Amino acid sequence: MTDSAADHSFVLDAVESFLELVSKKAAWLAMIAVFAMTVLVCADVTGRLFGRSVPGALELLQNLLVLNTFALMALLQLQDRHMSIEFAYVRMNKFWQNWVNVFVSSFSMVILAVLTFESGFSFIRKMGTKSMELYLPLEVYYWMPVLGLGLTFLVTLYQIVRDIRRSARDRRWIGIASALALTVFLAWLPFWYRNSHYEISNLVMGSLAFLLLFFLMFMKMPIGWAMSIVGAMGMIAIARNVPAAMAMVGSTPYSASSSHSLAALPLFVLMGCLILHAGISEDLFDSANKWIGHLPGGMGMASVAGCTGFAAVCGDSMATAVTIGSVALPEMKRLKYDHALTCGALAAGGTLGILIPPSAGFIIYGIVTEVSIGRLFLAGIVPGLILAGMFMTYIYVTARRHPEKAPRGMQYPFMDRVRSSAGLLPLLTLFLLVLGSIVKGVCSPTEGGAIGAAGAFVFALARRRLTWENFLASLDDAAVLTAKIMCIMVGVSVLGYFFTATRLPFLLADFIVALPFNRYFVFAIIILTYVALGCVMNVIPMLMLTLPSIFPTVLALGFDPVWFGVISVMVMEMGQITPPVGVVVFSLSGVAEGIPMETIFRGVIPFVGLMIAGVAIMTLFPDLATWLPYLMMGPELR
C-alpha cells in the first residue's frame, strides 16, 4: 500500500470513528425518549384518575417520538440496519455488489440532502411560532429532524467516498462511472419530463413510479429512502410550483414522525422486551410441555402453544420464532424429534406473533387505514387460535402416524402442572388488563402500551430477572425498531403527497372495480401479491408500502376493512415462511444449528398448506374474524 493510500485509509477510519461516536451518543437520546414516553403516559393516565392530567402530555409524547426517530437515524445508516430487501443483493457477485453500494449511497445522499435542506428551511419558517399546548417556540422541536437528517447526510457522504474508494482499489472505474451516471440520470429525469412535450396519464406515471420503487428496494436501498426518492421525483415531475412542492416535502420528516398513534409502537415493543428478559419464554414452554408434552407430538405442540402465549406479549414473528426456538429446539433434539417437523412447527408458530394481539402489524394497519386498532386486536384472537389449533392438530396426527418423528415426553404430576402455570397468571392478568382497557375505550392503544410496559417492568422486577443491562437492552430494542419503522413512515408520507396529487389509489380502485371480474378474483390477485412480497419483506414495511394504494380498492369492492386487516396479515405472514425465501425461516436457521436450510423448508411446507386453508376458512366464514370485535365494540363506522 502506498503512503498516499495509507493516508486516505487513515483519514476514512478517523471519519468513521468520529461519526460512530457522535451517532452512538445521539442514540442514547432515543433510549431516553422511549423511557420518558412510558413515564409520561403512565403519569397522565394516573393523573386522570384524580381529575388532573399532565399539561401538554400529547405534545410532549409526539415530540419524544420525533426525538426517538431522528436520534437513531444516523446510527442505523452507519451500521446498515435500516429495513431493506437483501434478496437480490446477497446473490450478486462482488462486482455488482460494489456497483450497488456506489449507486445506493450516492442516490441516498441526494434525497437526504434534499430532506436536510428543506427541513432546515422549514425550521427557519417555524421560528417564532408557538406550539398548540405548551406555547413553546416550535424551533424547540424542529431542530430534531434537521440535526438527525444532517448527521445522516454526513454518514452517506462518508459511505459514498468509502464505496468509491473500494471500487477504485479494484480498478472498477466503469462500475463507478455507470453507478454515478445512473444516479445523475434518475435525479435529472423528473426535470426533463417537466420541460418536455410528453404527457402521460397519472395511472401510467404511477405504474412507472412503482417500477422504480421496487427497483430501488431490490437494490438494497433502505425502504424509507426509496419511497422518499420516488415521492420527491413524482412531485417534481407533476407539481406546478417545484419550490412549494419541495417545501411540503421538507415539512414531512417532522409531521410524519410526530404521531400520537404511532407512539403505541415503542411502548408495546418495550413491554415485549421486558417480559422476554423476565424469562417468560422458558416459563411458557415449560408450562405447555408439562401439560401436553406426554401426548404424541407433545413437545411440538408445546412449542406452538409457547409461541401462541409469547405472541400475546411480543407482536413480532421473527422474535417469537427465534425466542421460543432457542428454548424448545434443544429439548426436541434431545428427544430425537424429526428436524423438519421441529423447525416447521417453530417457524409456523412464530407467524402467530403478529396475528395475536398486541400486534405491531395491526397497529400499522390501523394507523394507515384509520381502522380501529382495538377492533383489529380483537379480530386477530379467533383466527390466531384457530391457526394454532390447526398446527397442533397436524403435529398430533403426524406423531400418531409416525411415532418416531415426534416421541412422547415424560408425564408430570398434576400439581407440577398447576405450579408451572401459576407463575403465568400475573402475565395473563396484565395482558387482559391492557387489551380490555383498549377495547372498552378506557385507554387509547398508546396508553394501553404504556400501562403494559410499566406492568412488564414490575413483573420482571418482581421475578428478580431485571438487570440494568437487560433494561437498557429493552430500551434499545424498542428505540431501534421504532426508528426503523418511522423512517419508512417518513418515506410513506412523501410518497403519499405524490399519490394525493395524482389520485393514483382512487384511479386504480375505479379501474379495478370497472373490470368485468368477480371481486374475489381481484381479491385472489391481492393475496398472491402479498404472498410474493412476504417472501422478501417484513410485514410492517409491506403494509406501509401497499395499503395506501390497495385499501381504496378493497373498500370499493365492498370488503370489510377489519376482516381484510386480518386476512392481509395472515397472508403476509404466510409469505414469511414460504420457500424459497421466507425471512422467518432464515432467522430461525440462526438458532437451528446443524439443520440444513432445505430441511427447514421441507418441514414448513405442510404448515404453509394449513395457513392457506386458514385463509380460505376466514374468507368463507368472515364472521370468525369480525364477530368478536363487533360484539364487543359495535360495527366499524367509516
Side-chain angles (χ1 to χ4, degrees):
M1 181 183 291
T2 65
D3 291 342
S4 176
D7 290 342
H8 290 161
S9 178
F10 175 77
V11 171
L12 280 177
D13 289 344
V15 170
E16 181 178 15
S17 297
F18 173 75
L19 289 173
E20 186 172 12
L21 176 64
V22 175
S23 300
K24 286 184 175 178
K25 294 291 185 183
W28 275 94
L29 295 175
M31 295 167 62
I32 293 170
V34 172
F35 178 73
M37 278 191 273
T38 308
V39 174
L40 175 65
V41 177
C42 287
D44 190 49
V45 172
T46 304
R48 285 210 312 265
L49 296 177
F50 299 96
R52 299 190 65 179
S53 59
V54 176
L58 178 60
E59 180 179 307
L60 292 172
L61 180 66
Q62 291 172 336
N63 286 285
L64 285 169
L65 185 59
V66 176
L67 179 60
N68 182 170
T69 302
F70 293 99
L72 264 169
M73 188 175 283
L75 187 63
L76 294 179
Q77 183 73 27
L78 187 64
Q79 297 180 346
D80 193 23
R81 294 170 68 189
H82 278 291
M83 286 190 178
S84 58
I85 300 174
E86 299 185 358
F87 173 70
Y89 181 84
V90 296
R91 288 164 174 78
M92 298 176 182
N93 59 33
K94 186 177 180 181
F95 171 83
W96 284 110
Q97 285 187 344
N98 286 337
W99 185 93
V100 166
N101 290 338
V102 173
F103 170 67
V104 168
S105 297
S106 58
F107 214 176
S108 296
M109 188 179 68
V110 170
I111 189 60
L112 281 165
V114 171
L115 290 174
T116 303
F117 184 78
E118 293 296 340
S119 291
F121 268 106
S122 180
F123 169 78
I124 294 172
R125 286 191 296 268
K126 295 293 182 181
M127 292 184 70
T129 308
K130 303 291 185 181
S131 63
M132 295 294 291
E133 289 188 69
L134 295 177
Y135 302 105
L136 294 174
L138 284 182
E139 55 265 30
V140 172
Y141 301 135
Y142 271 74
W143 66 267
M144 293 183 285
V146 176
L147 292 187
L149 287 165
L151 183 58
T152 310
F153 168 76
L154 293 177
V155 170
T156 56
L157 181 60
Y158 154 74
Q159 288 175 329
I160 182 63
V161 174
R162 177 201 64 191
D163 293 335
I164 289 176
R165 185 175 179 276
R166 286 176 178 172
S167 296
R169 192 169 51 203
D170 297 331
R171 301 187 182 279
R172 295 191 168 111
W173 303 108
I174 295 177
I176 296 172
S178 61
L180 295 176
L182 181 59
T183 298
V184 172
F185 170 74
L186 290 175
W188 167 75
L189 196 59
F191 294 98
W192 170 83
Y193 175 77
R194 286 183 63 85
N195 299 317
S196 71
H197 298 293
Y198 296 100
E199 186 171 350
I200 58 178
S201 68
N202 288 342
L203 198 58
V204 172
M205 180 173 287
S207 301
L208 294 174
F210 267 112
L211 287 175
L212 176 60
L213 177 60
F214 279 101
F215 169 73
L216 294 177
M217 289 195 300
F218 276 92
M219 290 296 101
K220 199 176 171 283
M221 178 175 284
I223 295 171
W225 305 154
M227 290 180 171
S228 297
I229 286 171
V230 173
M233 289 176 64
M235 290 300 293
I236 291 171
I238 65 173
R240 294 182 179 179
N241 187 320
V242 173
M246 290 299 97
M248 189 181 300
V249 169
S251 66
T252 301
Y254 177 83
S255 61
S257 55
S258 58
S259 167
H260 173 263
S261 298
L262 276 170
L265 193 62
L267 301 176
F268 276 116
V269 174
L270 180 60
M271 172 185 168
C273 291
L274 289 171
I275 290 177
L276 168 63
H277 288 300
I280 190 63
S281 56
E282 294 93 337
D283 292 345
L284 282 167
F285 177 74
D286 178 66
S287 179
N289 185 39
K290 285 180 177 177
W291 280 101
I292 60 176
H294 62 284
L295 299 174
M299 199 163 287
M301 292 191 290
S303 300
V304 174
C307 287
T308 305
F310 192 74
V313 294
C314 177
D316 181 73
S317 299
M318 287 186 285
T320 301
V322 170
T323 302
I324 299 298
S326 62
V327 178
L329 264 171
E331 292 299 313
M332 288 194 276
K333 283 183 176 180
R334 182 179 61 82
L335 287 179
K336 301 189 184 321
Y337 262 62
D338 178 71
H339 288 169
L341 180 64
T342 296
C343 294
L346 288 168
T351 63
L352 302 173
I354 207 162
L355 186 59
I356 294 177
S359 161
F362 282 147
I363 292 173
I364 296 299
Y365 181 92
I367 290 169
V368 175
T369 62
E370 299 183 354
V371 173
S372 165
I373 295 175
R375 286 188 175 86
L376 291 168
F377 279 0
L378 285 174
I381 293 176
V382 172
L385 294 177
I386 288 175
L387 274 182
M390 293 170 69
F391 296 159
M392 294 171 72
T393 301
Y394 168 76
I395 295 170
Y396 179 82
V397 171
T398 301
R400 294 281 295 184
R401 296 179 60 188
H402 305 282
E404 72 283 359
K405 289 187 175 183
R408 297 170 182 255
M410 67 175 290
Q411 187 166 359
Y412 291 86
F414 179 76
M415 288 309 299
D416 284 356
R417 303 182 198 179
V418 173
R419 278 192 291 268
S420 71
S421 302
L424 302 178
L425 288 178
L427 179 65
L428 178 61
T429 303
L430 177 64
F431 169 72
L432 293 176
L433 174 65
V434 171
L435 185 61
S437 63
I438 294 172
V439 169
K440 289 300 183 181
V442 177
C443 293
S444 67
T446 301
E447 293 167 342
I451 293 171
F457 176 83
V458 173
F459 180 73
L461 205 61
R463 303 193 64 182
R464 299 181 181 179
R465 299 283 188 93
L466 188 65
T467 65
W468 180 246
E469 289 75 19
N470 57 39
F471 176 63
L472 290 180
S474 298
L475 290 175
D476 181 63
D477 289 345
V480 167
L481 179 60
T482 302
K484 288 179 179 181
I485 293 172
M486 294 308 298
C487 288
I488 298 177
M489 184 58 73
V490 170
V492 168
S493 299
V494 175
L495 191 62
Y497 286 130
F498 173 60
F499 282 165
T500 301
T502 59
R503 298 193 72 254
L504 180 64
F506 303 100
L507 292 174
L508 183 64
D510 292 341
F511 173 76
I512 291 176
V513 170
L515 292 174
F517 300 124
N518 184 281
R519 65 175 184 158
Y520 286 100
F521 178 82
V522 178
F523 172 73
I525 294 175
I526 295 173
I527 294 299
L528 292 174
T529 302
Y530 276 177
V531 171
L533 288 175
C535 291
V536 295
M537 293 178 69
N538 191 280
V539 170
I540 292 174
M542 200 178 354
L543 285 168
M544 299 168 83
L545 171 65
T546 60
L547 284 176
S549 55
I550 287 181
F551 191 67
T553 301
V554 171
L555 292 182
L557 291 172
F559 290 116
D560 184 284
V562 174
W563 168 82
F564 182 75
V566 174
I567 291 292
S568 59
V569 168
M570 288 178 67
V571 172
M572 290 178 184
E573 282 302 299
M574 189 195 312
Q576 303 279 285
I577 62 171
T578 300
V581 186
V583 292
V584 170
V585 172
F586 279 94
S587 299
L588 183 63
S589 67
V591 296
E593 297 180 4
I595 300 178
M597 188 70 70
E598 57 268 24
T599 301
I600 301 178
F601 275 125
R602 179 163 51 84
V604 157
I605 290 174
F607 292 95
V608 172
L610 291 173
M611 295 186 77
I612 293 173
V615 172
I617 291 170
M618 293 302 143
T619 303
L620 292 172
F621 307 101
D623 287 348
L624 290 172
T626 59
W627 167 74
L628 187 58
Y630 290 165
L631 174 69
M632 300 289 291
M633 302 180 69
E636 177 76 8
L637 301 176
R638 300 200 62 82

Tab-separated table of all heavy atoms in Angstrom, residues 319-343:
chain	number	residue	atom	x	y	z
A	319	ALA	N	-39.123	-12.547	16.161
A	319	ALA	CA	-38.746	-12.622	17.572
A	319	ALA	C	-39.424	-13.809	18.245
A	319	ALA	O	-38.807	-14.513	19.062
A	319	ALA	CB	-39.122	-11.325	18.280
A	320	THR	N	-40.684	-14.065	17.911
A	320	THR	CA	-41.405	-15.189	18.512
A	320	THR	C	-40.767	-16.520	18.133
A	320	THR	O	-40.514	-17.382	18.988
A	320	THR	CB	-42.884	-15.172	18.072
A	320	THR	OG1	-43.483	-13.939	18.480
A	320	THR	CG2	-43.648	-16.327	18.680
A	321	ALA	N	-40.496	-16.703	16.835
A	321	ALA	CA	-39.917	-17.965	16.365
A	321	ALA	C	-38.538	-18.200	16.963
A	321	ALA	O	-38.218	-19.302	17.429
A	321	ALA	CB	-39.846	-17.970	14.843
A	322	VAL	N	-37.695	-17.166	16.953
A	322	VAL	CA	-36.320	-17.316	17.429
A	322	VAL	C	-36.287	-17.523	18.946
A	322	VAL	O	-35.546	-18.363	19.462
A	322	VAL	CB	-35.473	-16.092	17.023
A	322	VAL	CG1	-34.117	-16.114	17.711
A	322	VAL	CG2	-35.294	-16.054	15.512
A	323	THR	N	-37.109	-16.770	19.684
A	323	THR	CA	-37.089	-16.852	21.149
A	323	THR	C	-37.570	-18.205	21.637
A	323	THR	O	-36.911	-18.867	22.458
A	323	THR	CB	-37.961	-15.738	21.752
A	323	THR	OG1	-37.474	-14.466	21.302
A	323	THR	CG2	-37.915	-15.771	23.256
A	324	ILE	N	-38.736	-18.645	21.169
A	324	ILE	CA	-39.237	-19.965	21.589
A	324	ILE	C	-38.355	-21.068	21.019
A	324	ILE	O	-38.111	-22.092	21.665
A	324	ILE	CB	-40.700	-20.152	21.151
A	324	ILE	CG1	-41.592	-19.086	21.798
A	324	ILE	CG2	-41.206	-21.548	21.517
A	324	ILE	CD1	-41.628	-19.128	23.315
A	325	GLY	N	-37.839	-20.849	19.800
A	325	GLY	CA	-36.966	-21.849	19.193
A	325	GLY	C	-35.706	-22.096	19.989
A	325	GLY	O	-35.251	-23.241	20.131
A	326	SER	N	-35.122	-21.024	20.545
A	326	SER	CA	-33.895	-21.185	21.332
A	326	SER	C	-34.142	-22.003	22.595
A	326	SER	O	-33.222	-22.642	23.118
A	326	SER	CB	-33.338	-19.804	21.704
A	326	SER	OG	-34.256	-19.085	22.515
A	327	VAL	N	-35.385	-22.007	23.081
A	327	VAL	CA	-35.730	-22.790	24.273
A	327	VAL	C	-36.150	-24.205	23.899
A	327	VAL	O	-35.731	-25.191	24.532
A	327	VAL	CB	-36.866	-22.096	25.056
A	327	VAL	CG1	-37.269	-22.935	26.267
A	327	VAL	CG2	-36.447	-20.704	25.482
A	328	ALA	N	-36.984	-24.338	22.863
A	328	ALA	CA	-37.596	-25.630	22.541
A	328	ALA	C	-36.690	-26.545	21.719
A	328	ALA	O	-36.741	-27.775	21.874
A	328	ALA	CB	-38.906	-25.393	21.787
A	329	LEU	N	-35.862	-25.982	20.835
A	329	LEU	CA	-35.058	-26.817	19.944
A	329	LEU	C	-34.149	-27.800	20.692
A	329	LEU	O	-34.105	-28.991	20.334
A	329	LEU	CB	-34.234	-25.933	19.008
A	329	LEU	CG	-34.841	-25.664	17.627
A	329	LEU	CD1	-34.051	-24.600	16.890
A	329	LEU	CD2	-34.896	-26.945	16.810
A	330	PRO	N	-33.408	-27.367	21.709
A	330	PRO	CA	-32.550	-28.341	22.404
A	330	PRO	C	-33.328	-29.508	23.004
A	330	PRO	O	-32.855	-30.658	22.972
A	330	PRO	CB	-31.888	-27.488	23.503
A	330	PRO	CG	-31.936	-26.085	22.984
A	330	PRO	CD	-33.216	-26.004	22.226
A	331	GLU	N	-34.526	-29.219	23.551
A	331	GLU	CA	-35.329	-30.280	24.151
A	331	GLU	C	-35.834	-31.256	23.101
A	331	GLU	O	-35.836	-32.477	23.309
A	331	GLU	CB	-36.508	-29.671	24.923
A	331	GLU	CG	-36.105	-28.907	26.166
A	331	GLU	CD	-35.401	-29.814	27.169
A	331	GLU	OE1	-35.914	-30.922	27.439
A	331	GLU	OE2	-34.324	-29.423	27.658
A	332	MET	N	-36.261	-30.721	21.946
A	332	MET	CA	-36.774	-31.604	20.895
A	332	MET	C	-35.640	-32.396	20.247
A	332	MET	O	-35.829	-33.538	19.825
A	332	MET	CB	-37.563	-30.791	19.873
A	332	MET	CG	-38.909	-30.321	20.414
A	332	MET	SD	-40.059	-29.714	19.165
A	332	MET	CE	-39.496	-28.038	19.002
A	333	LYS	N	-34.460	-31.813	20.177
A	333	LYS	CA	-33.304	-32.574	19.685
A	333	LYS	C	-32.963	-33.709	20.647
A	333	LYS	O	-32.605	-34.813	20.228
A	333	LYS	CB	-32.098	-31.640	19.516
A	333	LYS	CG	-32.147	-30.752	18.279
A	333	LYS	CD	-30.876	-29.914	18.172
A	333	LYS	CE	-30.868	-29.090	16.901
A	333	LYS	NZ	-29.627	-28.254	16.782
A	334	ARG	N	-33.084	-33.426	21.935
A	334	ARG	CA	-32.784	-34.442	22.940
A	334	ARG	C	-33.715	-35.645	22.796
A	334	ARG	O	-33.297	-36.802	22.973
A	334	ARG	CB	-32.899	-33.839	24.343
A	334	ARG	CG	-32.558	-34.796	25.476
A	334	ARG	CD	-32.687	-34.106	26.821
A	334	ARG	NE	-34.033	-33.629	27.069
A	334	ARG	CZ	-35.024	-34.393	27.522
A	334	ARG	NH1	-34.811	-35.681	27.741
A	334	ARG	NH2	-36.224	-33.883	27.734
A	335	LEU	N	-34.991	-35.381	22.474
A	335	LEU	CA	-35.955	-36.459	22.289
A	335	LEU	C	-35.918	-37.055	20.888
A	335	LEU	O	-36.729	-37.919	20.555
A	335	LEU	CB	-37.368	-35.943	22.586
A	335	LEU	CG	-37.711	-35.701	24.060
A	335	LEU	CD1	-39.119	-35.166	24.193
A	335	LEU	CD2	-37.549	-36.969	24.880
A	336	LYS	N	-34.962	-36.565	20.065
A	336	LYS	CA	-34.787	-37.050	18.696
A	336	LYS	C	-36.023	-36.808	17.823
A	336	LYS	O	-36.464	-37.683	17.065
A	336	LYS	CB	-34.408	-38.537	18.686
A	336	LYS	CG	-33.127	-38.844	19.455
A	336	LYS	CD	-32.690	-40.269	19.242
A	336	LYS	CE	-31.463	-40.615	20.069
A	336	LYS	NZ	-30.459	-39.587	20.186
A	337	TYR	N	-36.581	-35.609	17.942
A	337	TYR	CA	-37.663	-35.204	17.052
A	337	TYR	C	-37.136	-35.066	15.621
A	337	TYR	O	-35.965	-34.722	15.414
A	337	TYR	CB	-38.228	-33.852	17.499
A	337	TYR	CG	-39.489	-33.942	18.335
A	337	TYR	CD1	-39.481	-34.592	19.561
A	337	TYR	CD2	-40.684	-33.378	17.894
A	337	TYR	CE1	-40.631	-34.672	20.337
A	337	TYR	CE2	-41.833	-33.453	18.658
A	337	TYR	CZ	-41.801	-34.100	19.872
A	337	TYR	OH	-42.944	-34.171	20.629
A	338	ASP	N	-37.993	-35.320	14.665
A	338	ASP	CA	-37.656	-35.087	13.267
A	338	ASP	C	-37.341	-33.597	13.073
A	338	ASP	O	-38.135	-32.729	13.457
A	338	ASP	CB	-38.826	-35.505	12.373
A	338	ASP	CG	-38.543	-35.241	10.915
A	338	ASP	OD1	-37.720	-35.945	10.332
A	338	ASP	OD2	-39.160	-34.294	10.372
A	339	HIS	N	-36.186	-33.294	12.499
A	339	HIS	CA	-35.746	-31.907	12.372
A	339	HIS	C	-36.699	-31.069	11.521
A	339	HIS	O	-36.948	-29.900	11.813
A	339	HIS	CB	-34.339	-31.861	11.779
A	339	HIS	CG	-33.289	-32.316	12.743
A	339	HIS	ND1	-31.986	-32.573	12.373
A	339	HIS	CD2	-33.343	-32.578	14.086
A	339	HIS	CE1	-31.287	-32.950	13.436
A	339	HIS	NE2	-32.088	-32.979	14.479
A	340	ALA	N	-37.214	-31.658	10.456
A	340	ALA	CA	-38.131	-30.920	9.588
A	340	ALA	C	-39.407	-30.547	10.334
A	340	ALA	O	-39.882	-29.401	10.260
A	340	ALA	CB	-38.463	-31.747	8.344
A	341	LEU	N	-39.970	-31.495	11.069
A	341	LEU	CA	-41.187	-31.221	11.833
A	341	LEU	C	-40.923	-30.188	12.924
A	341	LEU	O	-41.727	-29.270	13.148
A	341	LEU	CB	-41.716	-32.514	12.446
A	341	LEU	CG	-42.997	-32.393	13.279
A	341	LEU	CD1	-44.162	-31.948	12.401
A	341	LEU	CD2	-43.321	-33.717	13.971
A	342	THR	N	-39.788	-30.314	13.594
A	342	THR	CA	-39.441	-29.387	14.671
A	342	THR	C	-39.376	-27.948	14.167
A	342	THR	O	-40.015	-27.042	14.718
A	342	THR	CB	-38.076	-29.780	15.279
A	342	THR	OG1	-38.189	-31.064	15.875
A	342	THR	CG2	-37.638	-28.777	16.317
A	343	CYS	N	-38.585	-27.744	13.120
A	343	CYS	CA	-38.392	-26.378	12.607
A	343	CYS	C	-39.648	-25.852	11.922
A	343	CYS	O	-39.939	-24.653	11.992
A	343	CYS	CB	-37.205	-26.350	11.649
A	343	CYS	SG	-35.640	-26.691	12.455
